[in-house]
Amino acid sequence: MKRIVLAYSGGLDTSVAIPWLAEQYGAEIVAVTLDLGQGKELSDVRERALAVGAVRAHVVDVREEFARDFILPALQAGAIYEERYPLATALGRPLIARKLVEIAAIEGATAIAHGCTGKGNDQVRLDVSARAMQPDIEVIAPAREWGMSRPEEIEYARARGIPVPATVDSPYSTDANLWGRSIECGVLEDPWAEPPDDIYTLTRSPAACPDLPAYVEIEFEAGVPVAVNGVAMPLVELIGSLETIAGAHGVGRVDMVENRLVGIKSREIYEAPAAVVLHAAHRELEGFVIARDLERLKRDLGRTYADLVYNGLWFSPTRDAIDAFVAKVQERVTGTVRLKLFKGVCQVVGRTSPFALYDHGLATYDAGDLFDHRAAVGFIKIWGLPIETMTRKAARMSNAEC
Ligand code: ARG
């Protein structure tokens, strides 16, 4: 009998997908639910999958793997899509694909399935990632095929005794993991409409934030954040604690219109308090310890890296190669960054590193200045020579015309 491994969230779509796949493909369905730090109670998800017809249901905590193998490389690369989106959802997809393919091999399944629709980026990320690892695997996306409207889907569920959660009335489509949360649909589809405050769950409205700022010191060792305010923590906990502090000060909200891979512009709301703070800190420290040309090159590659992640090309030689470059740069990214969090704003207010290229003697305007002011004269002469030459030439030509 055909066996399909389904990425099961516990929500309505993937609950309906279990009997739908079983009926359409005459298959056994194995449900897989991953804990990526979405913060949802997963205790009864196994029972739910079995109740709607899965033959087996696995629940796997992959938070550490997610942080180490996906979030950290993206942080170090400075991967922020279109200058705003720290890529939480996009980074989760290749890991989900990896787990589905691994479990399919263990289960002897020839196909995997997921709940994505045919309109977004997530289907691309899951399908391409799965086939990058196992080119022969069949990838099925029921919601892309079944052609049911929302009411029809609810009817389908009721007819089969699938419990329809009360939250199905929520007009929003959300996705969450350790690195942040994305919110789409409903009133948010009007790019002119301000998002209602109740869509946010990780961040406090700036108006309701404390009147005193919080200071956070993040310590990095070779590009890895290792401690917050002097307390050493493993990465998963560190991200969690920054989420709490930054969220309480309203930091991490993003409202943007982004370019989807499938050619659509879409209005997206993100809350990513930990990601916003960590990217700000990491970027600051890196810039403090590497030279200008390398810093520029690194930023350009960060944009390329973000595009790769966004566009579903995580498992690609291009990303491997950029990772090697980024790893080389991280060797010097050791030190501490001090940030001020206040009513929705995150500001770097201090940085220190044993590798700092900042030299007080060169930078100061006070006594102790070591910069050779006289050397500037010759430098400027040669630097401006091409411009000066053009002006002289233009003057000669217009004189000749008279
Ligand atoms: N636009 C974002 C992205 O492409 C978020 C997608 C949210 N996905 C979801 N299934 N709700 O990464």
Side-chain angles (χ1 to χ4, degrees):
M1 197 179 193
K2 186 183 177 83
R3 194 171 287 164
I4 303 171
V5 174
L6 167 72
Y8 181 66
S9 72
L12 181 65
D13 290 345
T14 52
S15 294
V16 167
I18 292 179
W20 188 88
L21 283 166
E23 286 168 30
Q24 298 289 317
Y25 289 84
E28 288 181 346
I29 313 303
V30 176
V32 173
T33 307
L34 303 178
D35 183 356
L36 288 147
Q38 57 268 50
K40 241 198 311 204
E41 214 20 87
L42 294 178
S43 53
D44 64 341
V45 76
R46 219 182 136 259
E47 284 65 41
R48 261 187 289 158
L50 297 172
V52 296
V55 293
R56 262 183 303 292
H58 306 283
V59 180
V60 192
D61 181 353
V62 294
R63 286 175 300 164
E64 206 192 307
E65 186 176 347
F66 184 41
R68 184 191 62 225
D69 295 350
F70 295 84
I71 292 177
L72 184 60
L75 170 66
Q76 294 180 336
I80 301 182
Y81 186 65
E82 296 184 338
E83 270 86 63
R84 315 279 310 277
Y85 169 36
L87 294 162
T89 298
L91 285 165
R93 302 307 174 197
L95 175 55
I96 295 171
R98 178 151 98 187
K99 290 293 148 193
L100 291 177
V101 168
E102 275 172 21
I103 294 171
I106 296 166
E107 287 279 357
T110 53
I112 60 169
H114 57 71
C116 302
T117 65
K119 211 171 170 178
N121 300 308
D122 289 326
Q123 51 170 347
V124 182
R125 297 167 184 149
L126 285 165
D127 294 23
V128 172
S129 298
R131 280 198 282 268
M133 282 171 290
Q134 174 52 272
D136 293 328
I137 200 129
E138 184 187 355
V139 186
I140 308 169
R144 200 161 55 189
E145 291 178 21
W146 63 34
M148 286 190 274
S149 64
R150 198 69 174 167
E152 284 164 355
E153 195 187 331
I154 292 171
E155 192 39 52
Y156 184 100
R158 294 227 160 95
R160 282 160 185 77
I162 298 170
V164 177
T167 52
V168 83
D169 288 334
S170 160
Y172 306 112
S173 160
T174 62
D175 181 71
N177 63 41
L178 264 185
W179 206 222
R181 201 169 158 258
S182 20
I183 311 117
E184 306 171 318
C185 301
V187 64
L188 304 176
E189 288 176 356
D190 174 359
W192 179 249
E194 183 176 353
D197 219 54
D198 64 0
I199 64 165
Y200 297 106
T201 61
L202 305 176
T203 54
R204 197 178 268 165
S205 162
C209 286
D211 288 325
L212 285 177
Y215 287 88
V216 187
E217 291 183 10
I218 306 177
E219 189 185 333
F220 290 84
E221 255 173 49
V224 183
V226 293
V228 173
N229 291 337
V231 182
M233 280 177 245
L235 196 50
V236 170
E237 276 89 300
L238 184 138
I239 292 169
S241 84
L242 285 175
E243 179 176 290
T244 306
I245 308 171
H249 288 271
V251 168
R253 294 186 176 185
V254 175
D255 175 344
M256 69 188 284
V257 173
E258 76 189 24
N259 291 290
R260 283 197 190 166
L261 177 58
V262 294
I264 305 169
K265 284 194 192 288
S266 68
R267 203 279 184 89
E268 304 281 332
I269 305 297
Y270 300 108
E271 351 178 49
V276 163
V277 169
L278 278 167
H279 270 296
H282 180 270
R283 175 189 162 114
E284 183 69 22
L285 185 60
E286 196 174 69
F288 198 48
V289 300
I290 63 177
R292 173 172 52 192
D293 61 336
L294 182 53
E295 195 178 340
R296 298 290 192 280
L297 180 60
K298 169 80 190 352
R299 296 254 168 95
D300 290 347
L301 283 175
R303 176 195 298 242
T304 303
Y305 199 98
D307 286 348
L308 286 171
V309 172
Y310 189 86
N311 295 334
L313 302 176
W314 178 266
F315 295 107
S316 66
T318 312
R319 190 192 53 83
D320 285 346
I322 302 178
D323 270 346
F325 169 88
V326 170
K328 181 71 196 162
V329 175
Q330 298 317 295
E331 290 171 3
R332 303 171 61 85
V333 184
T334 292
T336 302
V337 176
R338 189 157 193 260
L339 304 110
K340 182 177 178 174
L341 311 175
F342 187 54
K343 295 193 189 289
V345 179
C346 163
Q347 248 180 328
V348 172
V349 294
R351 65 292 278 157
T352 175
S353 167
F355 297 111
L357 296 181
Y358 177 90
D359 183 318
H360 187 264
L362 290 177
T364 185
Y365 284 96
D366 293 340
D369 182 3
L370 298 173
F371 188 82
D372 183 353
H373 291 235
R374 281 164 312 159
V377 178
F379 167 74
I380 294 167
K381 201 164 173 151
I382 292 170
W383 178 246
L385 189 59
I387 310 268
E388 213 178 296
T389 306
M390 279 189 286
T391 308
R392 282 190 213 288
K393 171 83 179 172
R396 273 203 302 275
M397 285 175 73
S398 70
N399 282 345
E401 271 167 27
C402 299

